[in-house]
Amino acid sequence: MAVSVIAVEGLPEITEGDDLAAMIVESAAAGGEPLAGGDIVIVTSKIVSKSEGRTVDLDTVEPSPFARDFAERWEKEPGIVELVLRESKRVVRQVGPVLITETRHGFVCANSGVDQSSSGAKGRAVLLPVDPDASARGLRARFRELGHEVAVIISDTFGRPWREAQVDVAIGIAGINPVISYIGEHDPHGHEFLVQAVCRADELASAGELVKGNLSRVPVALIRGYPWEPDDTASMTDIIREAERDLFR
């Protein structure tokens, strides 16, 4: 089996209301790699957020007294601290200037996913999509209208316990089951797999990052040649670990 990871280049700056799926189809075709049936489209969450109007100009944010105090103590931008708190269900860990939060989606990450990089303007922040699964389903449906039967994974960059640096992971999914479970199967020596399961949604998202990158202005990748069966029940709920089983919460 051969799997290709293809960068979709040439997308312009995304703004609210843009037909993101149509723009991806057009850019892929213009770049000589048009979408094909069975592709998996990896879309950086930031352009999804921009198309959905999930950006905030910091001069419109009124920080709370706590946000102002925290920002002054750790040399942070008060508006960013306020947005981080607004986007979180709770603060999981705070060490010095680092805020690890649980978002309303159930993601545990730094700063509730709030980010200023590649936001489209100085003094602007980008928030995560309100419902990344719904965003992915909407993109998949729109791709289908345009004649392309593909799966969609919305990705974002997260840190990981025990390891330095960051990787792209899935935060929204449509059309493809995110997990391959080997539980109950046996290896060649007869040992039964009791806990082994592979989060292929995260692995595919990370593969897409290899041709995207933070400075390349390439926010979309196509995974081609990877076998998958359509699953319209797919959801991030299969990936997010319940709090009582999460050793880090």
Side-chain angles (χ1 to χ4, degrees), residues 193-216:
F193 293 118
L194 301 178
V195 298
Q196 285 83 352
V198 173
C199 185
R200 65 175 173 183
D202 284 350
E203 293 187 332
L204 292 163
S206 295
E209 175 63 10
L210 294 174
V211 299
K212 291 191 294 161
N214 288 320
L215 300 177
S216 64

Side-chain angles (χ1 to χ4, degrees), residues 1-4 38 40 176 180 200 203-204 223-228:
M1 178 178 66
V3 176
S4 301
I40 303 167
I176 178 174
I180 298 175
R200 65 175 173 183
E203 293 187 332
L204 292 163
I223 308 291
R224 182 167 297 163
Y226 180 82
W228 55 280

Side-chain angles (χ1 to χ4, degrees), residues 170-205:
I171 67 164
I173 192 164
I176 178 174
N177 191 304
V179 175
I180 298 175
S181 176
Y182 295 98
I183 296 172
E185 297 189 29
H186 295 79
D187 71 9
H189 307 289
H191 301 120
E192 183 179 357
F193 293 118
L194 301 178
V195 298
Q196 285 83 352
V198 173
C199 185
R200 65 175 173 183
D202 284 350
E203 293 187 332
L204 292 163

Side-chain angles (χ1 to χ4, degrees), residues 69-153:
D69 180 68
F70 184 91
E72 182 177 355
R73 185 182 309 167
W74 299 110
E75 299 182 345
K76 295 276 206 177
E77 166 62 53
I80 291 292
V81 176
E82 177 63 25
L83 290 174
V84 168
L85 296 174
R86 290 182 188 178
E87 290 295 303
S88 69
K89 286 200 296 190
R90 65 189 182 97
V91 176
V92 176
R93 188 86 183 270
Q94 184 261 313
V95 180
V98 178
L99 283 171
I100 304 298
T101 61
E102 181 180 356
T103 71
R104 290 191 294 271
H105 322 82
F107 307 139
V108 176
C109 59
N111 300 319
S112 304
V114 176
D115 194 0
Q116 284 186 275
S117 64
S118 301
S119 62
K122 187 174 178 59
R124 181 176 297 167
V126 183
L127 315 180
L128 293 180
V130 172
D131 185 342
D133 274 346
S135 300
R137 290 193 297 269
L139 285 170
R140 175 166 153 80
R142 180 62 176 137
F143 282 126
R144 183 180 287 132
E145 289 177 356
L146 296 169
H148 303 284
E149 187 64 31
V150 298
V152 175
I153 294 175

